[in-house]
Amino acid sequence: MRIPRIYHPEPLTPGQDVALSDDAANHVGRVLRMSTGQALQLFDGSNQVFDAEIIQSDKKQVAVRVLKSETDNRESPLHLHRGQVMSRGEKMEFTIQKSIELGVNVITPLYSERCGVKLDAERMNKKIQQWQKITIAACEQCGRNQVPEIRPAMDLALWCKEDEVNTLKLNLHPRASKSINTLPHPVERIRLLIGPEGGLSADEIAMTAQYHFTDILLGPRVLRTETTALTAITALQVRFGDLG
């Protein structure tokens, strides 16, 4: 049986006894039905993994003893910041989950002219919390020991205006003349813009050029926004990261 991997939001040290978070305790105690003496593997976002043993398990909480630790770097050499104009329903959740598995480091949800998601501040905050939980679960599943950041939602223009040092800015465009395979080496940091289901408006495309985004083409077919995101991330990791 595979030893379950559980995220703990506070720093861990060998020899320490800790109570798991409510979400983790529910998963370990109620879903997996694990009991005292069974083994877990914890990670706290520090790029380390911690062997642990359950010392208490009941309906209210699960406590573990941290036994030992080791560094386990699963991060790509390519730092990817994905700006995603928000899509409806489960599409956004799906692409967040798969982006984390593919090595994305930061995700910023974006509003644009054709964005189909309209939420007030309270509901948006709940969405961000839910997306961060999906991110943690994806890390638990895929073996990453650093937890990527889900940033607060922001306007597309403000995101494009942000400056990241030594970062290549890319915008996927069906009429672009360049492809990912033509981008020059080396590239260590990329800011990747994924537009809405209806595409960016002409004014928005012009605005991305103003902020020095490079238009790139994925191929001759028009892809859905969720397919576009995952295809582009995979291609970038093959060319500049650790896939392939």
Side-chain angles (χ1 to χ4, degrees):
M1 176 182 173
R2 180 182 177 187
I3 297 176
R5 281 171 40 86
I6 302 295
Y7 173 66
H8 189 73
E10 298 174 355
L12 294 166
T13 57
Q16 178 184 20
D17 292 348
V18 297
L20 299 185
S21 67
D22 290 344
D23 286 343
N26 181 69
H27 182 66
V28 170
R30 297 191 177 187
V31 178
L32 299 180
R33 298 183 180 275
M34 297 183 72
S35 58
T36 301
Q38 289 188 281
L40 291 174
Q41 187 178 77
L42 306 180
F43 64 103
D44 61 2
S46 65
N47 231 16
Q48 297 184 87
V49 291
F50 300 82
D51 291 342
E53 181 182 83
I54 298 174
I55 57 174
Q56 178 188 350
S57 180
D58 56 40
K59 292 182 179 180
K60 293 185 177 181
Q61 73 170 14
V62 174
V64 303
R65 177 162 295 145
V66 182
L67 304 176
K68 63 178 182 178
S69 68
E70 65 176 326
T71 300
D72 185 16
N73 184 20
R74 305 285 184 93
E75 296 303 298
S76 170
L78 175 65
H79 185 280
L80 265 171
H81 181 165
R82 172 184 156 210
Q84 173 71 61
V85 176
M86 289 177 285
S87 52
R88 296 185 183 93
E90 296 180 355
K91 291 180 180 179
M92 190 72 175
E93 296 182 358
F94 175 81
T95 55
I96 286 174
Q97 180 191 61
K98 300 309 174 187
S99 293
I100 301 310
E101 293 178 21
L102 290 169
V104 167
N105 304 92
V106 182
I107 296 176
T108 303
L110 301 174
Y111 294 106
S112 74
E113 290 182 24
R114 296 170 181 167
C115 176
V117 177
K118 307 293 182 183
L119 299 175
D120 59 32
E122 182 179 356
R123 292 176 65 198
M124 189 71 250
N125 185 52
K126 289 181 179 178
K127 276 288 186 185
I128 297 294
Q129 292 178 25
Q130 176 63 21
W131 293 337
Q132 191 66 58
K133 288 182 179 180
I134 290 171
T135 296
I136 290 169
C139 288
E140 291 175 337
Q141 183 275 323
C142 75
R144 292 183 70 176
N145 296 310
Q146 290 184 346
V147 179
E149 176 187 7
I150 306 294
R151 300 177 69 200
M154 63 190 300
D155 183 75
L156 171 64
L158 293 176
W159 184 79
C160 290
K161 187 178 180 180
E162 288 183 336
D163 189 29
E164 287 188 40
V165 179
N166 298 323
T167 297
L168 177 64
K169 299 179 177 181
L170 300 178
N171 174 42
L172 299 174
H173 193 291
R175 290 180 295 279
S177 59
K178 295 182 179 180
S179 70
I180 288 174
N181 285 335
T182 65
L183 296 173
H185 280 276
V187 175
E188 295 181 355
R189 300 180 67 89
I190 289 177
R191 178 174 276 232
L192 176 66
L193 172 59
I194 306 294
E197 293 167 275
L200 298 176
S201 69
D203 287 343
E204 288 171 334
I205 292 171
M207 180 266 298
T208 64
Q210 176 187 346
Y211 290 119
H212 309 294
F213 277 76
T214 298
D215 290 340
I216 55 170
L217 178 70
L218 284 180
R221 292 170 293 282
V222 177
L223 306 179
R224 292 180 181 272
T225 183
E226 63 271 26
T227 311
T228 297
L230 302 181
T231 302
I233 293 164
T234 301
L236 289 169
Q237 289 286 25
V238 168
R239 183 157 176 80
F240 304 112
D242 59 358
L243 293 183

